[in-house]
C-alpha cells in the first residue's frame, strides 16, 4: 500500500511538473538558447535563409563548389548546431550546411516536428541552388534529435547516405528514460524514426556512445533493426554529451561520407 501511494505521489508530482511547463519545451529545451561565442568564429560562412513561410533561419554554409558533395548536419534538442562547425571547417573536400532549428541560435519561430522537417528540405534546395548544382550529391548527418530529423528527411530526399549519432527509435522512449513516470500518452512530437526507417534506401551509419545515459541502447537497437539494409554501426567509449570528442570519431564520420567519381573538387 505504501509503495502504491508513493508511486501515485511521484506520478502526480511528475504530472504537475509537466503541466507547469510546455510540452514543446520538453522536446526542444534548447529553444531560445543564445549563440555561443565559439560558434561566431566563422562570420564569412554565416547565412540567413527565409523559410517557405518567411521565418528567418540562421546558420552556416561552407560552399566549396558545384562539384562537391553537400553534407547537412542537424543538432541535438539542447544544442546550437554551431558547436559542430569544426567538422565542416576541417573538411575542405565537401560543402556543409548547418542551420539552427526554429527558435535556436538566432533562428526565429517555434520548433515543431512538421516545421523542422519542412525547413530542412527547403534549406537543402536553397544550398544546392547556391552551389550551382540542384542535384549535388547529398549526405545527411544528425545527433540525437538531429538523427530523427535526418531520418525523416532521408525518406524523401534520397541522399547518398546518412550518419546518425546517438539515434533513438522515437522521442517518447527517450523522454520516459529521462522522466520514468512520464505517461506515454503525453502530447509530444513523436519523432518516430523507427516507423520512417523502412523508407530510407541509402546506406546508413550509426554511431553509438557505450555509456549513453540519455538514449537507451535498446532504443538504438530497435532503430537499427528497422532499416531495410543493415546499417554500419560504430561504438565509442563515450557518453551522450562527449561523443564528438571521442578518439577516432572524426575519422569514422568522414569515412561515412564517401565521394563519388562525379565529384571533382574546386580547390
Amino acid at each position: 500500500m505504501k509503495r502504491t501511494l508513493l508511486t501515485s505521489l511521484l506520478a502526480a508530482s511528475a504530472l504537475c511538473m509537466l503541466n507547469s511547463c510546455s510540452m514543446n519545451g520538453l522536446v526542444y529545451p534548447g529553444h531560445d538558447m543564445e549563440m555561443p561565442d565559439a560558434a561566431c568564429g566563422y562570420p564569412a560562412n554565416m547565412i540567413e535563409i527565409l523559410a517557405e513561410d518567411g521565418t528567418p533561419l540562421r546558420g552556416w554554409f561552407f560552399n566549396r563548389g558545384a562539384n562537391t558533395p553537400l553534407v547537412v548536419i542537424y543538432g541535438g534538442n539542447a544544442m546550437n548546431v554551431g558547436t559542430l562547425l569544426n567538422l565542416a571547417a576541417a573538411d575542405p573536400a565537401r560543402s556543409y550546411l548547418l542551420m539552427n532549428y526554429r527558435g535556436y541560435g538566432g533562428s526565429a519561430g517555434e520548433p515543431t516536428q512538421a516545421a523542422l522537417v519542412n525547413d530542412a528540405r527547403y534549406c537543402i534546395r536553397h544550398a544546392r541552388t547556391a552551389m550551382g548544382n540542384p542535384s549535388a550529391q547529398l549526405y545527411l548527418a544528425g545527433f540525437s534529435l538531429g538523427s530523427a530529423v535526418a531520418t525523416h528527411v532521408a525518406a524523401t530526399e534520397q541522399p547518398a547516405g546518412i550518419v546518425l549519432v546517438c539515434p533513438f527509435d522515437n522521442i517518447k522512449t527517450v523522454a520516459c528514460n529521462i522522466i520514468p513516470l512520464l505517461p506515454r500518452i503525453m502530447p509530444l512530437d513523436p519523432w518516430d524514426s523507427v516507423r520512417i526507417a523502412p523508407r530510407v534506401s541509402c546506406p546508413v551509419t550509426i554511431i553509438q556512445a557505450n555509456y549513453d545515459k540519455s538514449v537507451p541502447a535498446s532504443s538504438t537497437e530497435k532503430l537499427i533493426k528497422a532499416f531495410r539494409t543493415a546499417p554500419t554501426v560504430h561504438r565509442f567509449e563515450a557518453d551522450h554529451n562527449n561523443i564528438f570528442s571521442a578518439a577516432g570519431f572524426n575519422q569514422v564520420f568522414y569515412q561515412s561520407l564517401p565521394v563519388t567519381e562525379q565529384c571533382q573538387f574546386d580547390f
Side-chain angles (χ1 to χ4, degrees), residues 131-172:
M131 291 172 65
N133 184 357
S135 59
Q137 183 184 27
L138 175 67
Y139 288 102
L140 305 175
F143 165 67
S144 196
L145 174 65
S147 72
V149 179
T151 301
H152 282 66
V153 174
T156 60
E157 297 303 307
Q158 299 181 337
I162 62 175
V163 182
L164 308 180
V165 183
C166 300
F168 52 83
D169 57 344
N170 65 72
I171 199 68
K172 288 190 177 180

Side-chain angles (χ1 to χ4, degrees), residues 35 37-48 58-64 85 88-89 96-99 126 130:
M35 187 81 71
D37 292 340
C40 297
Y42 301 90
N45 302 100
M46 296 181 75
I47 62 169
E48 177 177 291
R58 296 184 175 89
W60 294 263
F61 183 31
F62 294 74
N63 185 352
R64 270 101 184 212
L85 284 171
Y96 281 80
L97 179 68
L98 299 88
M99 299 299 297
H126 179 97

Side-chain angles (χ1 to χ4, degrees), residues 210-230:
N210 284 340
Y211 308 113
D212 197 327
K213 296 180 181 178
S214 298
V215 177
S218 58
S219 174
T220 303
E221 290 302 319
K222 288 179 182 178
L223 179 63
I224 290 172
K225 293 177 181 178
F227 285 104
R228 291 161 53 181
T229 303

Side-chain angles (χ1 to χ4, degrees), residues 1-266:
M1 174 65 95
K2 288 183 178 180
R3 180 173 297 179
T4 301
L5 178 59
L6 177 60
T7 301
S8 299
L9 288 173
L10 289 173
S13 297
L15 285 174
C16 287
M17 178 184 69
L18 290 169
N19 287 332
S20 67
C21 66
S22 166
M23 288 297 97
N24 208 38
L26 182 62
V27 180
Y28 310 106
H31 182 227
D32 290 331
M33 68 164 40
E34 296 181 359
M35 187 81 71
D37 292 340
C40 297
Y42 301 90
N45 302 100
M46 296 181 75
I47 62 169
E48 177 177 291
I49 298 175
L50 296 181
E52 285 186 307
D53 64 358
T55 300
L57 306 174
R58 296 184 175 89
W60 294 263
F61 183 31
F62 294 74
N63 185 352
R64 270 101 184 212
N67 297 320
T68 59
L70 172 64
V71 181
V72 185
I73 301 179
Y74 305 108
N77 69 342
M79 172 188 284
N80 186 306
V81 74
T83 60
L84 300 178
L85 284 171
N86 63 305
L87 289 172
D91 178 20
R94 302 167 180 83
S95 295
Y96 281 80
L97 179 68
L98 299 88
M99 299 299 297
N100 273 314
Y101 303 135
R102 291 177 179 234
Y104 283 65
S107 293
E110 294 289 330
T112 66
Q113 177 174 325
L116 267 55
V117 172
N118 190 60
D119 290 345
R121 292 169 178 155
Y122 182 80
C123 288
I124 288 171
R125 295 196 297 272
H126 179 97
R128 280 172 154 174
T129 299
M131 291 172 65
N133 184 357
S135 59
Q137 183 184 27
L138 175 67
Y139 288 102
L140 305 175
F143 165 67
S144 196
L145 174 65
S147 72
V149 179
T151 301
H152 282 66
V153 174
T156 60
E157 297 303 307
Q158 299 181 337
I162 62 175
V163 182
L164 308 180
V165 183
C166 300
F168 52 83
D169 57 344
N170 65 72
I171 199 68
K172 288 190 177 180
T173 298
V174 178
C176 289
N177 179 60
I178 297 172
I179 306 177
L181 295 176
L182 178 73
R184 289 185 174 272
I185 61 173
M186 296 304 290
L188 305 176
D189 276 353
W191 289 110
D192 194 358
S193 294
V194 77
R195 181 179 63 84
I196 299 296
R199 295 162 52 188
V200 176
S201 58
C202 66
V204 178
T205 299
I206 302 284
I207 299 178
Q208 281 184 276
N210 284 340
Y211 308 113
D212 197 327
K213 296 180 181 178
S214 298
V215 177
S218 58
S219 174
T220 303
E221 290 302 319
K222 288 179 182 178
L223 179 63
I224 290 172
K225 293 177 181 178
F227 285 104
R228 291 161 53 181
T229 303
T232 299
V233 180
H234 299 272
R235 297 179 175 87
F236 287 91
E237 299 297 300
D239 62 34
H240 192 81
N241 296 318
N242 68 8
I243 182 70
F244 292 99
S245 60
F249 178 91
N250 285 17
Q251 180 180 4
V252 167
F253 183 83
Y254 296 135
Q255 287 178 346
S256 302
L257 311 171
V259 180
T260 64
E261 294 180 359
Q262 288 80 9
C263 293
Q264 301 295 323
F265 303 135
D266 296 336

